[in-house]
Amino acid sequence: MVSLTPRYSVFLSYNRGDGKAAQRIQRWLETYRLPRRLQGGGLAFCDDGRRLRPLFRDIDEMRVAPDIDTAVIEAINASAYLVVLCSPASAKSEWVAREIAMFRAAHGDDRILPLLLEGTPETSFPPALLRRDDGRTLVPLAADIPGEGERLALLKLVAVMAGVSMAVLVQRDAQRRLQQIAGAAALAIAVLAVVLALVVQNMNARLAEEKQRVRAGTLSNYMLDDLRAQLKRAGRLDLLTAVNDGVAKSWRGQDLSGLSDADLQQRAKLLLAIAEDDESRGDLVAARNQTEEAMRTTAQLLAKAPDDPGRIFAHAQSQYYTGMISWRGGDRKQAATAFAAYRDLAARLLASDGKKPDWWMEAGYAENNLGVLALRARLDTAAAQGHFLAALKAFAAADALRPGNRDTLFSLADTEAWLADTQRIAGAPALALAARARQKAILDQLAATDPQDRQVTADLVSHELALARIAIDSGRPDTALPLLASGRGKAQALAANDPQNVRRKAQVRMFDLMRLKALLAMPAARSRDDPTLAALNGDCEADLSRLKNDELADFCRILAARRGATAIAAGGPALAARGDLLTDQWGLDLAQERRLGGIMKESAR
């Protein structure tokens, strides 16, 4: 039964991906007041004729409803208008289509108002909006945020619901805003006169400082937090680079002595973000320059206030990235020094507040780093396992304090992967498979939350590579080959989506090399012919130049030596001098490859 006196002015229909826009639009409409000379008629307005009745937005209103369908129908019957937030996501939403159909059945078409959030009517209007139940086509006139701006588009909705002319409403609204601005300006001028009398001697310096702060701080805050997280999930290093360049321009040419400590700390955070992206592109020289500048800044700030948790945390990030870039560049001694310093800073943070989940996360990261060093630099599986178990304990403590956090779940999954590598190298494949199963369960949980998260997809692809490696090391190359074929196709798709990311390209290459290793591990009668093996082995020098990964090229040379049963020394002194592991991303053990290559060489004799 449709209510004669609606409880709600508007039922907002939208896709969950547009939730923030829906919340903002609800707040604007519920707080808007018609100019005093205008009176709203019709069902949407309260008795005073100036305020809209409350809006219905199901994420809030249906939280305690026992039956969602019943709650939606009751809310639609009690609403004067249906406002459909149109976007490419809502155009595909079955739930939005159902709400349109239910409102049309209760109230007809005249009170259905489209509001275009993004895209065009062709890409963003739900099909249910464009046709009646009898099959006739509708061409609704939409309020268009991309074309008109948000305020003008929302005023168009208010004008329709108030039954007043759009031109009159815009004119009166503009007059009211001018009056408000004039009043505020008059007050501001009076206050400014007093302030200027007090600060005239240093006004120019303070204005310059404020300009710097606003210019650098506001934009970098947004980039380093919201936007950066979104682009990383989408797996778009090219867009991250463009944003970094734009923000970095706001800092160039500034007198750093005029910046506050908070602004300097924010600048250091930006430098580390740029370093991370430089490293992902394979530009370790640029990444190292950024981390060194950040390190100098955070060290100076910490020296001023050594017990400040914020400054301890900022310097810990500088130590972490210094260690990570050193590790990627082959400087294991510098990596060990930086990671040890990072662990000490993390311990100081945890001692300052043991109930803060972020500090537990730092402790976990520090243990993880030390585990990687123990495993990759020394092949000390016992020490590595101890560090990884300690990391899991720290991340579990963070998860208990802040359940379901994305970063925590990623860290738990990553540490399970490292633990699995350790157990595989230690000769415990059953334990390695159990750890990989725990990793997969966490990644599946993350994938269910956001199926478009490319970081999750990349980790799931690495998981397939790891399972194939366990199968090869356990003497089951036949089991490994289907995993390698499946994973390679997914790795190629990730690399195509993020063409600047050399890690993605290297991951594709690793599937080829692991397939080569699996074929070499099969009985001779069943292995592929030499041209196939040679094609999989590829061009080591090209790998070194294109992917900027000398360890990957080392592995390529080792496999070439195994395939031809030639001397491992053919790789040259540099091959013997470099580390034991291919990469910390895929866990390929060069020491193990050398041993196997040596066995093949002896057999050939």
Side-chain angles (χ1 to χ4, degrees):
M1 184 66 180
V2 179
S3 173
L4 296 178
T5 303
R7 177 182 174 189
Y8 303 107
S9 60
V10 167
F11 183 105
L12 275 182
S13 180
Y14 62 99
N15 179 267
R16 285 293 167 274
D18 301 322
K20 289 186 177 179
Q23 185 178 19
R24 186 176 67 253
I25 288 165
Q26 178 185 15
R27 187 183 305 115
W28 191 95
L29 289 173
E30 288 186 337
T31 56
Y32 183 76
R33 300 291 181 268
L34 282 172
R36 291 188 180 278
R37 296 181 183 179
L38 296 178
Q39 291 293 317
L43 299 173
F45 282 81
C46 298
D47 293 340
D48 62 7
R50 298 188 63 211
R51 293 178 298 116
L52 286 168
R53 298 182 188 278
L55 276 70
F56 182 93
R57 186 168 62 90
D58 58 1
I59 193 169
D60 292 328
E61 301 291 337
M62 288 167 28
R63 190 169 294 157
V64 296
D67 184 333
I68 292 180
D69 278 331
T70 300
V72 170
I73 293 171
E74 290 177 352
I76 284 176
N77 288 341
S79 299
Y81 289 84
L82 176 72
V83 171
V84 183
L85 304 190
C86 299
S87 69
S90 63
K92 301 174 184 177
S93 170
E94 295 181 4
W95 189 255
V96 171
R98 288 176 60 191
E99 290 173 344
I100 293 171
M102 287 188 283
F103 190 94
R104 179 176 285 138
H107 302 287
D109 290 299
D110 294 339
R111 287 189 268 158
I112 299 177
L113 307 178
L115 176 60
L116 188 62
L117 292 180
E118 59 179 290
T120 65
E122 290 77 12
T123 61
S124 300
F125 274 17
L129 195 64
L130 302 175
R131 61 175 180 268
R132 298 178 185 269
D133 293 337
D134 59 8
R136 286 186 297 160
T137 300
L138 293 173
V139 185
L141 182 61
D144 181 358
I145 288 179
E148 300 169 328
E150 186 167 291
R151 185 177 183 85
L152 189 58
L154 294 176
L155 284 175
K156 182 181 287 188
L157 294 180
V158 173
V160 172
M161 291 186 282
V164 300
S165 164
M166 174 66 177
V168 172
L169 177 58
V170 170
Q171 181 183 16
R172 296 288 173 80
D173 183 78
Q175 291 172 350
R176 180 175 63 183
R177 294 187 71 194
L178 285 174
Q179 291 171 353
Q180 293 171 342
I181 292 171
L187 178 60
I189 290 171
V191 173
L192 182 61
V194 176
V195 173
L196 286 176
L198 299 174
V199 299
V200 65
Q201 292 182 347
N202 63 354
M203 178 185 65
N204 291 334
R206 295 180 68 88
L207 286 175
E209 180 182 342
E210 179 65 13
K211 182 179 179 181
Q212 282 189 340
R213 187 192 67 78
V214 172
R215 199 170 126 219
T218 303
L219 185 58
S220 60
N221 267 329
Y222 170 68
M223 188 285 289
L224 291 172
D225 297 324
D226 298 338
L227 184 57
R228 185 171 179 80
Q230 294 168 20
L231 293 178
K232 287 181 74 173
R233 290 190 189 194
R236 293 299 302 272
L237 182 60
D238 54 341
L239 296 181
L240 274 171
T241 300
V243 172
N244 286 344
D245 289 344
V247 177
K249 287 179 182 178
S250 69
W251 291 96
R252 291 184 190 130
Q254 292 191 44
D255 179 8
L256 298 185
S257 65
L259 295 178
S260 68
D261 286 354
D263 288 335
L264 286 171
Q265 189 165 304
Q266 187 72 1
R267 178 176 176 272
K269 184 178 180 181
L270 171 63
L271 290 171
L272 294 176
I274 295 174
E276 181 183 7
D277 299 335
D278 286 340
E279 185 275 329
S280 294
R281 286 194 304 274
D283 191 347
L284 295 181
V285 174
R288 187 173 293 107
N289 290 338
Q290 305 290 357
T291 56
E292 288 175 354
E293 177 63 21
M295 175 76 81
R296 283 193 294 270
T297 301
T298 56
Q300 291 172 2
L301 292 173
L302 182 59
K304 292 181 181 179
D307 296 324
D308 184 332
R311 299 191 183 196
I312 296 173
F313 173 80
H315 194 51
Q317 306 318 296
S318 294
Q319 293 286 9
Y320 165 74
Y321 279 102
T322 296
M324 186 265 287
I325 300 301
S326 299
W327 173 263
R328 297 277 191 255
D331 189 347
R332 296 187 173 186
K333 182 177 180 180
Q334 177 61 33
T337 300
F339 284 154
Y342 176 45
R343 177 189 56 184
D344 293 342
L345 291 166
R348 288 171 61 185
L349 289 171
L350 198 55
S352 71
D353 185 356
K355 295 184 178 180
K356 189 175 177 65
D358 287 343
W359 299 165
W360 280 105
M361 292 294 291
E362 293 302 305
Y365 295 145
E367 291 291 345
N368 221 17
N369 296 336
L370 294 172
V372 172
L373 282 174
L375 182 65
R376 299 315 191 209
R378 306 189 303 273
L379 285 180
D380 187 343
T381 56
Q385 179 165 289
H387 286 302
F388 293 138
L389 290 174
L392 287 172
K393 182 178 179 181
F395 292 138
D399 189 51
L401 292 167
R402 186 176 54 197
N405 177 264
R406 176 181 179 273
D407 290 341
T408 307
L409 293 176
F410 258 116
S411 299
L412 283 166
D414 184 60
T415 306
E416 291 286 7
W418 280 113
L419 182 62
D421 276 352
T422 304
Q423 291 164 336
R424 174 185 54 75
I425 292 171
L431 293 177
L433 285 172
R436 286 291 175 182
R438 294 192 296 272
Q439 177 206 15
K440 178 68 161 50
I442 298 170
L443 293 175
D444 287 343
Q445 179 183 346
L446 287 163
T449 302
D450 184 0
Q452 302 304 316
D453 192 327
R454 298 302 174 92
Q455 289 180 280
V456 177
T457 304
D459 282 359
L460 285 169
V461 172
S462 295
H463 176 78
E464 288 193 70
L465 185 63
L467 292 182
R469 179 160 176 75
I470 293 172
I472 295 170
D473 290 354
S474 301
R476 296 180 287 108
D478 282 334
T479 303
L481 289 173
L483 290 169
L484 294 169
S486 169
R488 189 184 189 281
K490 298 169 187 175
Q492 278 185 307
L494 286 168
N497 179 71
D498 194 3
Q500 290 190 7
N501 196 326
V502 296
R503 289 194 199 177
R504 298 281 184 259
K505 297 175 184 177
Q507 189 177 44
V508 175
R509 187 73 181 98
M510 291 316 308
F511 275 97
D512 289 338
L513 293 177
M514 288 306 300
R515 181 178 174 220
L516 174 58
K517 184 176 180 181
L519 292 172
L520 288 167
M522 294 174 65
R526 299 176 56 204
S527 63
R528 300 299 180 92
D529 55 19
D530 282 346
T532 299
L533 298 179
L536 287 172
N537 194 75
D539 185 343
C540 294
E541 295 304 323
D543 282 342
L544 179 59
S545 173
R546 180 172 59 93
L547 302 179
K548 303 184 188 306
N549 190 321
D550 57 353
E551 289 179 314
L552 189 149
D554 287 350
F555 184 65
C556 182
R557 294 188 187 102
I558 288 169
L559 285 177
R562 288 184 58 195
R563 180 167 52 84
T566 59
I568 289 293
L575 177 61
R578 283 198 286 268
D580 292 326
L581 234 61
L582 178 62
T583 69
D584 60 0
Q585 186 79 12
W586 299 287
L588 297 176
D589 179 0
L590 290 186
Q592 201 173 76
E593 300 305 325
R594 291 192 183 94
R595 287 194 293 271
L596 290 171
I599 292 170
M600 290 189 66
K601 182 180 70 172
E602 292 298 324
S603 299
R605 291 177 180 175

